[in-house]
Amino acid sequence: LAALIAAPALPPALAQPAPPPAPPAPHAMERGMHMGARMFPSMSEAGRATMREAMMAGGNRRDDRQKVEAAREKMLAALEAERFDAAAVKRAMDEERALSDASRQQRQAAMLAAFQKLSAEDRKAFVTDSRAMKARMQGRMEGWRERMRSRMQMRHMGQPPAPPQSEL
């Protein structure tokens, strides 16, 4: 320790400059632009912006989910009642479906309007990118299913399951 304290300062050629400051956190719109570029890499920037706007349109999804959940809770409350009331269960189910349908219709209308604004090239790129995303998700799901099958097989044979592998 004394040697370190007494050591002369490093010459400027060996000194390490201070690390650059961390970049500022991206603005929400910038994050959306990066997300759009990852989601639709084949589309033009204008096409990605159109799709980003459409995906953000269609009402407040959090509020919509809360309304659907409240309707679902009404159904569960009616189901757990001492005296079964089929009409009350049906009303709650109908309410849940109507809320879900309204939300879905808003999102579909926004997407249809966006598709109408896209160039033919961007529509084709959207299809290409959508199919690629679907294939990636199917691959991930198949990998997950295979890991679950393997773990179940190992448990069945009396072996402890292997620790999960991180997906980087």
Side-chain angles (χ1 to χ4, degrees):
L1 183 62
L4 288 175
I5 295 172
L10 290 174
L14 298 176
Q16 295 283 330
H27 181 270
M29 188 63 178
E30 291 172 359
R31 283 192 303 266
M33 287 191 300
H34 295 304
M35 177 196 64
R38 283 193 318 262
M39 288 182 65
F40 306 111
S42 302
M43 293 180 76
S44 69
E45 182 54 40
R48 284 194 296 267
T50 298
M51 295 313 299
R52 191 172 39 253
E53 288 171 18
M55 291 177 164
M56 300 307 286
N60 184 323
R61 292 199 174 111
R62 179 176 288 153
D63 289 347
D64 291 346
R65 279 192 306 269
Q66 289 173 343
K67 290 174 186 174
V68 169
E69 184 60 32
R72 189 171 298 132
E73 279 301 316
K74 286 181 189 176
M75 181 196 66
L76 294 174
L79 281 172
E80 73 180 351
E82 192 64 35
R83 185 172 174 272
F84 180 70
D85 182 354
V89 171
K90 182 169 180 357
R91 280 191 305 273
M93 292 171 86
D94 289 345
E95 180 183 355
E96 178 185 5
R97 185 178 53 253
L99 290 165
S100 293
D101 288 349
S103 177
R104 187 176 309 108
Q105 287 172 358
Q106 284 180 322
R107 288 191 309 273
Q108 285 179 346
M111 292 299 286
L112 183 58
F115 292 148
Q116 291 173 344
K117 294 176 186 176
L118 295 177
S119 67
E121 293 82 17
D122 273 339
R123 284 195 319 273
K124 289 175 185 177
F126 176 86
V127 171
T128 298
D129 292 342
S130 295
R131 287 180 175 149
M133 281 189 277
K134 180 180 179 181
R136 280 192 308 272
M137 289 305 295
Q138 287 175 329
R140 288 178 185 164
M141 288 304 296
E142 187 52 41
W144 178 83
R145 286 185 192 107
E146 187 57 39
R147 286 190 301 276
M148 290 300 111
R149 279 188 217 108
S150 175
R151 287 181 183 169
M152 293 302 288
Q153 192 173 35
M154 290 177 76
R155 283 187 185 135
H156 181 69
M157 295 177 1
Q159 298 176 354
Q165 296 178 352
S166 65
E167 294 182 27
L168 297 178

